[in-house]
Amino acid sequence: MKKTIFLAGGCFWGVEAYFKQLKGVLDTTVGYCNGESAFPSYEDVKSHKASHAETVKIDYDNEVISLEELLEHYLRFVDPYSLDKQGNDIGHQYRSGIYYNDLYDAMVASTYLSEHIEGKHMIEIKKMSNFYPAEEYHQDYLDKNPHGYCHVNLNLIKPSEKK
């Protein structure tokens, strides 16, 4: 069954490049979520005119990969204790978050994080209020620019986990 979750963990280029390699991930879209304005641009987000998080919309087949497995992967590269920073990406748009449409997913995420992270973490778990796809040049960015900046270690995926 197809499900959707939205994950933010620094620059969306690397987050997308990581998840799109996993078995069971059907599609990824980078974009901006949970901000106060409509239809923000990259420049709006970068200059803090918009309050959105750089996020990846992940459509997945939960009969192949579960939300818990997606979160296991997420925690491989996200520093859960870092506020508004992942790697060299610094700013509120780079906050870490799990955004959901299904309340059950919120419960799964909350339980998973409480069982796998010690102490207080900085990953927000919030209902998706809005999501705007990023400009086309951001979609599949690291496929188009293989030497582009990426804070995510793409080698953390085991060969058996790849498509």
Side-chain angles (χ1 to χ4, degrees), residues 27-156:
D27 193 33
T28 57
T29 305
V30 297
Y32 315 110
C33 85
N34 282 23
E36 297 171 7
S37 58
F39 305 103
S41 69
Y42 179 70
E43 289 304 318
D44 293 337
V45 173
K46 185 176 163 186
S47 67
H48 307 290
K49 291 179 185 173
S51 57
H52 300 71
E54 286 196 16
T55 305
V56 180
K57 176 185 177 194
I58 301 170
D59 295 322
Y60 64 101
D61 180 342
N62 73 332
E63 293 176 6
V64 177
I65 189 167
S66 67
L67 178 55
E68 291 92 341
E69 289 170 308
L70 290 172
L71 295 174
E72 174 192 337
H73 283 279
Y74 180 70
L75 290 180
R76 287 183 189 178
F77 63 81
V78 166
D79 176 352
Y81 305 107
S82 184
L83 179 64
D84 295 344
K85 179 182 184 304
Q86 291 295 323
N88 292 326
D89 304 319
I90 301 170
H92 193 57
Q93 73 270 30
Y94 299 122
R95 63 191 176 270
S96 298
I98 301 166
Y99 307 103
Y100 61 89
N101 288 320
D102 181 341
L103 189 56
Y104 178 76
D105 290 343
M107 294 185 303
V108 169
S110 181
T111 299
Y112 188 87
L113 294 185
S114 68
E115 292 174 351
H116 293 86
I117 300 174
E118 292 185 26
K120 181 170 171 44
H121 63 79
M122 297 296 145
I123 300 171
E124 58 184 26
I125 302 172
K126 292 188 173 179
K127 181 163 181 50
M128 174 57 66
S129 60
N130 55 54
F131 177 79
Y132 301 97
E135 296 82 352
E136 183 56 37
Y137 71 93
H138 287 295
Q139 306 300 329
D140 304 309
Y141 184 86
L142 291 177
D143 289 342
K144 299 171 191 171
N145 302 278
H147 300 292
Y149 166 73
C150 179
H151 74 287
V152 176
N153 181 351
L154 302 177
N155 294 317
L156 294 173

